[in-house]
């Protein structure tokens, strides 16, 4: 039989517990806010899952230098390359979620790899919390100049004609299996009905070294890591992969303009933290990065390399990554690319 007095008794016993939990929650919340206000109190590490010299490394070192000035604490870049970015990304996923380890994630690690690898050593969604998009960049289709001169390749149309006459004979370098440089090339082949031999490297620096030496023939590289070599005449650009031309290379057409109708692909680089990193700390990092990216000297430096500074919010970056994951899944399906 229902007894209202028993209900009142249980209510009296429950109220102190609820009050205690509320106090604990308030203490934890205040403690987290306090920790964020004093963050960081020691060195911060940014894991870059690719070798030094590539765009991920360039972006991380620029951000690290600016945050170091703002925080008065060293911000160290830790390059951990391998497996298309999977090695370093997995390392960051296993790090303590205290805000002292961050990841310079890429379109490869957080939008492509889950579609091309049968298994990943991390979950790009569950293992990380988004902090902010740092830079989106175009890729650029570039050739070894001697190779281009030898075969009279001056335009994308020339390249397509040569590829169709010599299927599988051209070596296409990439910065690793499943990277945007790899998938940009796979999409190009799919849309043009051509075939090349894929030669994966562990990042832009070794891929560019071999391309300029003539060990490979062409590469779809991130523009910031190649633009210096392009301007020095060490690489021959044919087209950029985005739907609009890059202000950094205004004379270089897009692939869509060059006859590959509908082609549109880009790379991007952004900060993430291990899942469970306190929201207050994540927000502080985002705000400080956004402030750094708005500095005129930083904007000018990035734009000169073909990158556009962002600094969006964690929520915006999360939504952006979800959209990119869906987009690249379609590219993978269309190209048939797969890494076992």
């Amino acid at each position: 039989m229902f007894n209202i007095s028993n209900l009142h008794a249980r209510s009296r016993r429950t109220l102190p517990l609820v009050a205690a939990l509320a106090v604990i929650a308030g203490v934890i919340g205040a403690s987290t806010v306090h920790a964020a206000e004093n963050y960081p109190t020691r060195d911060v590490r940014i894991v870059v899952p690719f070798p030094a010299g590539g765009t991920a490394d360039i972006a991380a070192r620029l951000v690290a230098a600016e945050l170091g000035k703002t925080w008065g604490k060293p911000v160290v870049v830790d390059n951990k390359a391998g497996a298309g970015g999977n090695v370093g990304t997995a390392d960051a996923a296993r790090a303590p979620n205290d805000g002292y380890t961050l990841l310079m994630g890429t379109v490869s690690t957080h939008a492509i790899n889950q579609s091309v690898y049968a298994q990943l050593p991390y979950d790009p969604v569950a293992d990380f919390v988004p902090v902010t998009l740092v830079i989106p960049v175009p890729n650029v289709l570039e050739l070894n100049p001697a190779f281009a001169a030898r075969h009279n390749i001056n335009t994308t149309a020339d390249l397509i004609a040569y590829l169709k006459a010599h299927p599988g004979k051209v070596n296409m370098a990439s910065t690793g299996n499943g990277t945007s440089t790899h998938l940009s090339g796979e999409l190009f082949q799919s849309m043009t009905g051509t075939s090349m031999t894929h030669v994966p490297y562990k990042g832009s620096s070794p891929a560019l070294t071999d391309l300029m030496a003539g060990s490979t023939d062409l590469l779809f590289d991130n523009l910031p890591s190649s633009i210096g070599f392009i301007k020095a005449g060490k690489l021959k650009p044919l087209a950029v992969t985005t739907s609009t031309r890059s202000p950094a290379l205004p004379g270089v057409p897009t692939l869509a303009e060059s006859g590959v109708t509908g082609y549109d692909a880009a790379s991007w680089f952004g900060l993430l933290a291990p899942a469970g990193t306190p929201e207050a700390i994540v927000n502080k990092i985002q705000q400080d990065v956004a402030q750094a990216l708005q500095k005129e000297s930083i904007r000018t430096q990035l734009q000169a390399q073909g990158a556009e500074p962002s600094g969006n919010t964690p929520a915006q970056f999360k939504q952006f990554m979800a959209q990119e994951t869906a987009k690249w899944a379609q590219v993978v399906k269309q190209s048939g690319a797969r890494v076992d």
Side-chain angles (χ1 to χ4, degrees), residues 116-129:
V116 297
Y117 282 86
Q119 287 187 317
L120 287 179
Y122 63 93
D123 186 314
V125 177
D127 289 346
F128 292 93
V129 57

Side-chain angles (χ1 to χ4, degrees), residues 75-135:
V75 181
V76 181
V77 173
D78 185 7
N79 297 90
K80 288 186 174 292
N86 291 343
V87 172
T89 304
D91 175 83
R94 294 189 294 266
N97 54 2
D98 54 8
Y100 289 89
T101 294
L102 303 172
L103 172 74
M104 183 57 73
T106 72
V107 62
S108 304
T109 63
H110 280 76
I112 295 176
N113 285 359
Q114 58 194 299
S115 292
V116 297
Y117 282 86
Q119 287 187 317
L120 287 179
Y122 63 93
D123 186 314
V125 177
D127 289 346
F128 292 93
V129 57
V131 179
T132 188
L133 175 67
V134 177
I135 50 170

